[in-house]
Amino acid sequence: MPSPLTTLTLFGLAPGNVRWGLAQMGTSPPQLQRVPGLRFFKLFGSGKGQGFGLTPNFHRYGMMAVWESEEAAAAFFGGHALYQKYERRCQEIWTAYLAPLRSHGLWDGVNPFEYQAEAMAKDSADGPVAVLTRASIRLLKAPRFWKFVPQTSTALAEASGLLASIGLGELPLVRQATFSLWESAEAMQQYAYRGPLHREVIQRTRAEQWYKEELFARFRVLKTEGTWNGQRVL
C-alpha cells in the first residue's frame, strides 16, 4: 500500500498579482476538492515577520496538504492546471515534503497527520525538523492571545537553531498557525519547553482556555524544493 505524504507549500506572488492571490482563498478550494489523491488541505494567508502578526502579507500564501501517496503529490506539483496557474503568478514557490513524527489535537474535528507516524526512536534523530502549531481562538479570548503575540514572535525569531518560520492564517485573528523549521529536535525543544516566555504562554493557554481547538505536529523533513525569501532553505 502506498504511504501518505504531507506537504507545506509557500507561494510568493509576483508583482501585480495581489488581487489574484487573495481571490484564490475562495476560488481554489472547489478545484482542490477534485484533485485525485488529495485527502486533506488548507489554504492560508500569511503575516509579516516570522510568527503571528496583525499585519498581513498579501504577497505570500500557503497550502498544507495530505496526499494519499507520493505519486498523487507528484502528479499535482508536476502539472495540475491549478498549480500551473500559481507557477505563472509567483516569483518563487517553496515546498517541504514531510513525514509526521508526533501529532496531537484536532483540526476541524480530525487529526490529518495520524498516519503511519515515524518510529518514536526517530523522533530524536539527527537532522532538521518542522513544527506546525495551529489553533482556533475563542473570539472573546482573542485580545488576550494577541497581547502576547509581539513578545512570542520576538522570542521565536531569536531562538537558537531556528532556520525559518512563518505565521499563517485560515481566518484573520481567530484561526492561526505557525510553521517553523529547526536544525534539530533538540533546538526546537530548547525553545518550546525551556524558554520562560513560551512556557508562560502555554500555561495561560490552558488556564484561560484561549482555544476552541488546537493541533501540534512535528515532522521529519524529507526534502524541500524551491526558494523561500530568495533562499534555498535546507
Side-chain angles (χ1 to χ4, degrees):
M1 294 290 292
S3 298
L5 174 72
T6 295
T7 58
L8 186 283
T9 301
L10 299 178
F11 301 100
L13 297 179
N17 287 282
V18 169
R19 294 177 67 179
W20 180 88
L22 185 60
Q24 296 313 299
M25 294 293 288
T27 60
S28 289
Q31 300 174 68
L32 290 168
Q33 289 169 359
R34 299 190 296 270
V35 173
L38 179 56
R39 65 191 219 181
F40 178 90
F41 71 87
K42 290 294 178 182
L43 295 178
F44 307 102
S46 72
K48 292 186 177 180
Q50 291 186 294
F52 293 122
L54 287 170
T55 304
N57 181 354
F58 292 113
H59 294 276
R60 191 175 303 281
Y61 292 84
M63 181 181 78
M64 175 147 272
V66 180
W67 306 89
E68 292 288 353
S69 65
E70 183 178 346
E71 290 74 20
F76 177 79
F77 293 117
H80 190 276
L82 177 60
Y83 187 73
Q84 289 179 331
K85 289 181 183 178
Y86 274 96
E87 288 183 312
R88 290 193 294 269
R89 299 276 188 163
C90 290
Q91 60 185 359
E92 66 174 1
I93 300 176
W94 182 85
T95 298
Y97 294 77
L98 310 167
L101 292 167
R102 291 185 178 183
S103 179
H104 60 81
L106 298 174
W107 198 338
D108 289 346
V110 300
N111 188 330
F113 311 118
E114 285 186 334
Y115 64 86
Q116 299 178 350
E118 297 284 324
M120 293 300 291
K122 292 183 180 180
D123 197 22
S124 58
D126 292 336
V129 296
V131 173
L132 176 77
T133 58
R134 178 266 171 188
S136 179
I137 305 159
R138 297 181 190 276
L139 187 59
L140 294 179
K141 302 293 184 178
R144 289 288 290 163
F145 171 86
W146 286 102
K147 177 182 178 180
F148 284 88
V149 163
Q151 297 167 280
T152 55
S153 295
T154 299
L156 176 63
E158 296 175 350
S160 177
L162 177 72
L163 298 173
S165 66
I166 188 170
L168 301 167
E170 297 171 71
L171 288 174
L173 301 180
V174 294
R175 302 191 73 179
Q176 299 292 310
T178 294
F179 178 80
S180 56
L181 288 170
W182 300 83
E183 291 179 351
S184 64
E186 182 180 359
M188 184 277 297
Q189 291 169 338
Q190 180 74 27
Y191 164 76
Y193 303 119
R194 299 173 195 172
L197 178 59
H198 195 263
R199 287 204 314 270
E200 179 186 356
V201 170
I202 292 174
Q203 292 169 357
R204 288 182 180 273
T205 296
R206 302 290 184 265
E208 300 178 20
Q209 298 182 336
W210 289 357
Y211 305 147
K212 292 189 293 185
E213 186 182 62
E214 61 181 313
L215 181 142
F216 170 89
R218 185 188 306 176
F219 304 90
R220 184 163 64 94
V221 182
L222 303 175
K223 65 176 181 178
T224 65
E225 295 177 343
T227 62
W228 178 352
N229 290 332
Q231 299 183 9
R232 291 192 174 276
V233 183
L234 297 181

